């Protein structure tokens, strides 16, 4: 059929030569997926079984990221979501119903806590928090709180901000004995330093925003599961919730993954160097780095982890006031002040834990450091001059 030039803008008759083989992962954007004929039309959220049917259920770019994260986490299948918190919410929504009881550690990532305490409770889920300040007591605390209707137990190791390492295998054993599932926020380990599934976890969630992305320029999340049943459960909820990740962001995450190993190695070494140096400073009471014996649950890190990331916290001695801690942060030149972590830039953040339930009494003296890829001696000198400013 002869076409008007305007029609040809939409249905072109000319194409670039095929056969371009690039080292970069292509970006496939698309809502509509074109079927070859009417007989091929089908509606399925399972692209692994039925092929592609609609952009919401996956594009080659989102699924390429999914299979690679899954391989890294040694799972069965991975779902990609538009942010780490979206992965957390979707994991909760996929497995919970009214009447279920769930347990979360007191030190879990704040928005996960809020999602459960506010949204899941509103939908009839009984939400309870277990103590995590003393990781040696964690499994016993979970065992004591398990009920007949406990559907799942969340873990996060190290816990957000205060960095306690959990005895995940013991918690998993107690939870499984009671018929409950175990979910973990495995973001700190990047799915690399902690093999969640080998330690009894059933569902592993990661904010790919952090180490996989690695450059503070995307928001993505992942839910990795161990079997077809769990995959289908998350997939059907994912479809209805419509938490779709952008293929452009996924392509950046795929690029980030290629340098994950070298970035992790570098930030691990730099963080250890700086944490060692900070531990010697008279201003610092406590270094909350999982590889240090001063970090609660360090023995579980030693037993279960294969390395450490670039995120840790320090606690100033009691004589330092909130405004002195702020002055220290303001004086830093190389550390950006902001939320999030795991990018190439060093970041600093402080948290006021005064009166917070379930956290050690660090008051307003805790500072969290994300170590980036800057020269470690420059970072040390920056910390030194900021500490000197405290007088
Ligand atoms: C431990 C942890 N889990 C999950 C998230 C959520 O990730 P996102 O910011 O991509 O929603 C964060 C973000 O700070 C985090 O620190």
């Amino acid at each position: 059929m002869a076409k008007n030039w305007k029609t040809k803008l939409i249905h072109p008759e000319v194409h670039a030569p095929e056969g371009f083989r690039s080292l970069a992962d292509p970006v496939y954007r698309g809502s509509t997926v074109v079927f070859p004929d009417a007989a091929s039309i089908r509606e399925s959220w399972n692209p692994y079984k039925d092929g592609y049917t609609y952009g919401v259920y996956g594009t080659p770019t989102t699924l390429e990221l999914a299979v690679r994260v899954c391989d890294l986490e040694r799972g069965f299948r991975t779902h990609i979501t538009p942010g780490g918190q979206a992965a957390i919410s979707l994991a909760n929504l996929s497995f919970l119903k009214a009447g279920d009881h769930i347990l979360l550690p007191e030190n879990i990532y704040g928005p996960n806590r809020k999602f459960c305490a506010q949204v899941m409770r509103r939908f009839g889920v009984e939400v309870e928090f277990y103590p995590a300040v003393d990781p040696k007591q964690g499994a016993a605390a979970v065992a004591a709180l398990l009920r007949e209707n406990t559907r799942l137990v969340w873990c996060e190791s190290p816990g957000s901000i205060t960095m306690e390492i959990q005895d995940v295998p013991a918690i998993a054993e107690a939870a499984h004995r009671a018929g409950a599932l175990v979910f973990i926020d495995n973001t700190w380990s990047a799915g690399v330093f902690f093999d969640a599934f080998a330690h009894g976890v059933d569902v592993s969630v990661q904010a790919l925003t952090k180490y996989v992305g690695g450059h503070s320029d995307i928001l993505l999340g992942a839910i990795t599961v161990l079997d077809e049943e769990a995959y289908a459960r998350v997939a059907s909820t994912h479809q209805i919730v419509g938490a779709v990740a952008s293929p452009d962001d996924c392509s950046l995450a795929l690029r980030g993954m290629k340098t994950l190993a070298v970035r992790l190695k570098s930030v691990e070494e730099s963080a250890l160097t700086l944490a060692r140096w900070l531990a010697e400073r008279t201003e610092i009471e406590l270094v909350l780095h999982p590889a240090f014996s001063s970090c609660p649950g360090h023995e579980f890190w030693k037993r279960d982890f294969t390395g450490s990331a670039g995120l840790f916290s320090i606690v100033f001695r009691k004589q330092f006031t909130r405004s002195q801690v702020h002055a220290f942060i303001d004086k830093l030149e190389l550390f950006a002040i902001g939320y999030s972590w795991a990018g190439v830039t060093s970041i600093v953040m402080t948290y006021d834990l005064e009166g917070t339930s379930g956290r050690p009494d660090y008051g307003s003296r805790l500072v969290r450091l994300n170590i980036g890829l800057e020269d470690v001696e420059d970072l040390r000198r920056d910390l030194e001059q900021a500490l000197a400013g405290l007088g």
Side-chain angles (χ1 to χ4, degrees), residues 45-102:
W45 45 255
N46 192 342
Y48 297 96
K49 199 165 123 259
D50 302 314
Y52 295 100
T53 60
Y54 188 49
V56 167
Y57 316 142
T59 67
T61 311
T62 45
L63 292 195
E64 188 64 34
L65 178 61
V67 295
R68 290 200 210 165
V69 170
C70 192
D71 197 37
L72 197 64
E73 291 245 27
R74 298 160 286 265
F76 170 70
R77 287 243 192 282
T78 294
H79 292 272
I80 303 295
T81 61
Q85 179 56 22
I88 288 168
S89 308
L90 182 60
N92 282 313
L93 286 170
S94 300
F95 286 86
L96 295 173
K97 61 174 186 334
D100 285 343
H101 169 246
I102 68 168

Side-chain angles (χ1 to χ4, degrees), residues 81-88 107-112 156 158-161 185-188 205-210 218-221 311 339-341 351 368:
T81 61
Q85 179 56 22
I88 288 168
N107 58 4
I108 196 124
Y109 176 60
N112 189 359
E156 187 181 319
S160 275
I161 305 167
D185 185 330
N186 204 18
T187 304
W188 186 83
V205 169
Q206 241 199 92
L208 304 179
T209 305
K210 315 298 180 200
I218 53 166
L219 291 154
L220 282 176
L311 183 79
Y339 287 110
S340 207
W341 46 282
Y351 294 87
R368 188 172 78 171

Side-chain angles (χ1 to χ4, degrees), residues 198-281:
H199 291 88
V201 168
D202 301 293
V203 174
S204 176
V205 169
Q206 241 199 92
L208 304 179
T209 305
K210 315 298 180 200
Y211 283 118
V212 169
H215 295 76
S216 312
D217 54 2
I218 53 166
L219 291 154
L220 282 176
I223 305 171
T224 303
V225 297
L226 268 186
D227 57 36
E228 185 76 48
E229 201 250 318
Y231 167 68
R233 184 179 277 280
V234 179
S236 52
T237 312
H238 200 175
Q239 173 187 15
I240 302 160
V241 171
V244 186
S246 151
D248 289 278
D249 287 348
C250 290
S251 84
L252 288 174
L254 283 164
R255 186 165 70 173
M257 270 187 101
K258 292 180 184 175
T259 57
L260 179 64
V262 285
R263 284 185 286 108
L264 282 178
K265 185 167 189 297
S266 176
V267 298
E268 176 177 36
E269 281 171 13
S270 295
L272 285 168
T273 302
L274 295 171
R276 258 181 234 122
W277 182 80
L278 284 160
E280 297 297 316
R281 293 290 305 202

